[in-house]
Amino acid sequence: MRVTGPGQHGDQNQPTSHDPEPVSPAPPDAARSDTALPDTAPSGEAAAARDDTARDTAVLNTAGLDTPASGTATPDAPGPAANADATDAGTADLDTPPLGTTVPAAAASHAAVNPDPWHAHEAVDVATEPVAEQRPQVPARSFHRRADYVVAALIAVAVLVAAFIVRQSGDAAATVSRTSAEPMYQLPQPTALPPSFAEVWRAPSSATFAPVVAGPAVVTGEGGEMAGRDPLTGEKKWSYARDLPLCTVGMSWGQAFAIYTKQGWTGGSGPQSGNCSEITGVDPATGKRALARNGNAPIGTRLLSDGTHLVMTGKRLIEVVRFDLVKTLEYGKVEAEIQPNKQPRTNCEFGSVALGGSRLGVIERCPDDLGDRLTMQKPNPKDWDAPEVAFSTVLNGRGARLVAITEDRTVIALPGPPRLVTYDTNGTQTDEQPLAIPDSDLAGDPPGQVPPVVEGSANSYWFTGSKLIALSSKELRPQWTVENVVGSPTLFSGRLVVPVPDGLLVLDAVTGARIGSVPVRRDQPGPVALATAGPVILEQRAGTLVALR
């Protein structure tokens, strides 16, 4: 009676009902011939291959499946090749005895216990030959020699020295930033005009052309330092200084901006000793640096803002940036153009620049034109190096000066005789009115190409050089005029405060009616620009800022 195992009768899930008969032991000679080991141990790779073959054969034998002997190819179909292979198998050095030969007792017991042929390998003990220990191969060159450590140390020292040199020779080494220990707070606006004003402090500020009030701070610029001061005392609350001279200081988007001169740069007006290229913005409440970029504004630039765009003026190049200092427009003579022939004119000079109603206006003087040219364009075209011009028209005369811009109107002043001319959005002249001002007020261009105009809720106030003219905010028509004025005004407690030779003149901001005057002693003549910071009136007198309260 043969030994019956699971799967031999086609039912792999049911155990056999007969106990296995004992198997007669194999003759001694046969056992010795089947189990004799070679005189020498196999190599590591051969042993591993044998283990895999023995394990697979034992699993299949336990499952009751016919298994070819080790080293025997299994034919796809019966035929002469199969008989040849069987003959070869009989002479092969077998790791596992063929089906029907003597099976060790351990294997037989496992076959009877585990009836599931698909998991039979879990209970099969496979005799394996000893495997020689495989040591990991050490690469020919490893990091163990003393020279390796020396080289690594030298590289680390070189990196540290290079970083130190860059820091000491870079811009950071020449920058001193002192922030405020506590944030500054906005002062409340006054509700009434005091009976008198007296000087409470003064500070040098040659880099500002009008008082700069950014948030709660009064900002001054002198030498290479921009400082935020307490409006009441003039005390420095924060400062930002570099080893470069300041070009100018301004304010936009609630931040204070400083532009520094970079020696050796080439600006839009041609080769020169340097230009205004280093732009830095700080938080006016603390002095912490917030924004920075490199620009290409020429020496003498001014900052012009409408609350959305920041314009850097110049005689032959104008740059515009947005709130994050990303450039939105470059207009004029551009050095090292990326794509040539995108600028409409590159041989013109700019007389004045104004910003308003999301439009940028420029008075150009071009050698091929019979008169000055008025150009209106978007401050934020699709491509920053490709201006989008709304209109550009040649004027009937020279010496033109931009005064004010709204969404649908542009007003310029022309001399000989002095007159105010209005244009619509298509560049068509819609109005012209005479101006009762001397010709000297329109001689030359305004400083920094920026006309001194202060915007109010009802009117815009234009300082012509000797007079103050109020223009209606919507139509830009002259409303009234103040004689004998020495600078641009400011709004204080809802009233218009105008600088006059002997002090301050207080007017109704809408009608221009006189309310009163306050005497102020000034130690030098010249133009005065006013601003307010809470209850303090600020006067820019040449290169000095004076606070009155």
Side-chain angles (χ1 to χ4, degrees):
M1 182 176 180
R2 294 184 57 187
V3 177
T4 305
Q8 288 182 327
H9 298 287
D11 189 354
Q12 298 178 357
N13 296 324
Q14 298 297 327
T16 178
S17 60
H18 301 283
D19 294 331
E21 295 182 0
V23 180
S24 300
D29 295 338
R32 282 195 301 271
S33 63
D34 291 340
T35 59
L37 296 175
D39 295 338
T40 57
S43 64
E45 295 181 358
R50 288 186 137 193
D51 292 346
D52 295 339
T53 304
R55 185 179 297 108
D56 295 341
T57 304
V59 171
L60 295 174
N61 282 341
T62 306
L65 303 178
D66 292 338
T67 308
S70 175
T72 304
T74 303
D76 293 337
N83 295 332
D85 291 342
T87 303
D88 294 339
T91 60
D93 184 11
L94 301 179
D95 294 329
T96 304
L99 186 65
T101 58
T102 302
V103 180
S109 63
H110 281 298
V113 172
N114 190 354
D116 186 357
W118 302 106
H119 299 84
H121 62 279
E122 297 179 357
V124 174
D125 291 334
V126 179
T128 60
E129 298 181 6
V131 180
E133 181 181 0
Q134 298 295 317
R135 295 180 179 273
Q137 295 184 356
V138 180
R141 178 68 184 274
S142 59
F143 197 86
H144 290 295
R145 301 191 308 175
R146 180 180 180 182
D148 297 328
Y149 292 102
V150 173
V151 171
L154 291 176
I155 293 175
V157 171
V159 171
L160 292 175
V161 171
F164 177 79
I165 293 174
V166 170
R167 180 174 180 82
Q168 293 299 316
S169 60
D171 293 339
T175 301
V176 179
S177 178
R178 295 186 175 91
T179 59
S180 176
E182 296 181 356
M184 301 175 64
Y185 295 98
Q186 193 93 28
L187 295 177
Q189 295 297 320
T191 57
L193 192 70
S196 63
F197 284 96
E199 181 177 327
V200 291
W201 59 269
R202 65 171 54 199
S205 186
S206 59
T208 56
F209 307 99
V212 177
V213 181
V218 176
V219 183
T220 58
E222 182 68 22
E225 181 188 71
M226 174 176 64
R229 300 178 181 270
D230 187 322
L232 300 177
T233 65
E235 177 188 0
K236 286 184 184 180
K237 294 297 185 179
W238 55 262
S239 63
Y240 182 87
R242 296 187 59 179
D243 62 343
L244 300 173
L246 279 166
C247 285
T248 188
V249 171
M251 186 277 296
S252 186
W253 313 300
Q255 295 188 11
F257 288 93
I259 304 183
Y260 287 90
T261 301
K262 191 72 170 181
Q263 302 297 327
W265 278 52
T266 300
S269 56
Q272 50 188 322
S273 59
N275 74 343
C276 303
S277 62
E278 306 287 318
I279 309 171
T280 302
V282 302
D283 179 5
T286 61
K288 292 181 180 179
R289 176 172 165 170
L291 297 170
R293 70 162 285 126
N294 290 330
N296 199 24
I299 299 293
T301 186
R302 300 275 183 103
L303 296 180
L304 185 63
S305 176
D306 64 350
T308 303
H309 307 93
L310 183 65
V311 178
M312 290 165 279
T313 66
K315 291 293 292 183
R316 300 193 67 184
L317 179 66
I318 296 172
E319 286 190 343
V320 184
V321 296
R322 65 188 190 192
F323 65 94
D324 53 2
L325 293 188
V326 172
K327 185 188 295 185
T328 62
L329 176 65
E330 195 171 47
Y331 184 74
K333 177 63 176 177
V334 179
E335 300 294 334
E337 288 182 292
I338 299 176
Q339 298 184 25
N341 303 323
K342 283 197 170 186
Q343 296 292 330
R345 288 167 295 279
T346 59
N347 58 348
C348 304
E349 290 190 354
F350 305 144
S352 55
V353 182
L355 190 63
S358 298
R359 298 193 298 161
L360 175 66
V362 184
I363 294 294
E364 301 184 64
R365 298 193 175 99
C366 308
D368 297 333
D369 292 339
L370 297 178
D372 290 349
R373 176 183 290 270
L374 172 63
T375 301
M376 299 298 299
Q377 58 189 304
K378 295 178 63 175
N380 55 344
K382 181 179 179 181
D383 298 322
W384 60 267
D385 59 346
E388 296 181 12
V389 177
F391 71 84
S392 185
T393 183
V394 177
L395 306 175
N396 185 21
R398 294 191 178 274
R401 179 177 297 197
L402 263 171
V403 176
I405 301 174
T406 63
E407 293 181 356
D408 55 2
R409 287 177 173 79
T410 302
V411 172
I412 66 169
L414 281 169
R419 59 197 187 275
L420 204 64
V421 184
T422 303
Y423 293 86
D424 63 13
T425 56
N426 297 319
T428 303
Q429 181 176 330
T430 59
D431 190 24
E432 179 175 327
Q433 297 190 30
L435 290 174
I437 59 175
D439 290 338
S440 59
D441 283 2
L442 299 179
D445 296 321
Q449 294 79 48
V450 178
V453 177
V454 176
E455 294 184 0
S457 58
N459 299 311
S460 294
Y461 308 98
W462 171 39
F463 172 55
T464 66
S466 64
K467 299 181 180 183
L468 184 72
I469 298 178
L471 305 173
S472 59
S473 295
K474 185 176 181 181
E475 298 180 351
L476 298 180
R477 289 177 175 271
Q479 303 298 299
W480 39 267
T481 302
V482 181
E483 305 284 342
N484 199 20
V485 176
V486 297
S488 56
T490 188
L491 293 168
F492 186 91
S493 184
R495 296 171 175 82
L496 188 69
V497 180
V498 183
V500 292
D502 56 355
L504 301 174
L505 184 63
V506 182
L507 306 175
D508 183 281
V510 178
T511 65
R514 182 185 175 106
I515 296 176
S517 62
V518 179
V520 175
R521 175 181 292 182
R522 301 186 180 96
D523 49 10
Q524 58 184 2
V528 176
L530 301 183
T532 59
V536 178
I537 289 182
L538 302 166
E539 287 192 350
Q540 181 78 44
R541 304 175 186 173
T544 303
L545 185 68
V546 179
L548 306 175
R549 188 181 181 192

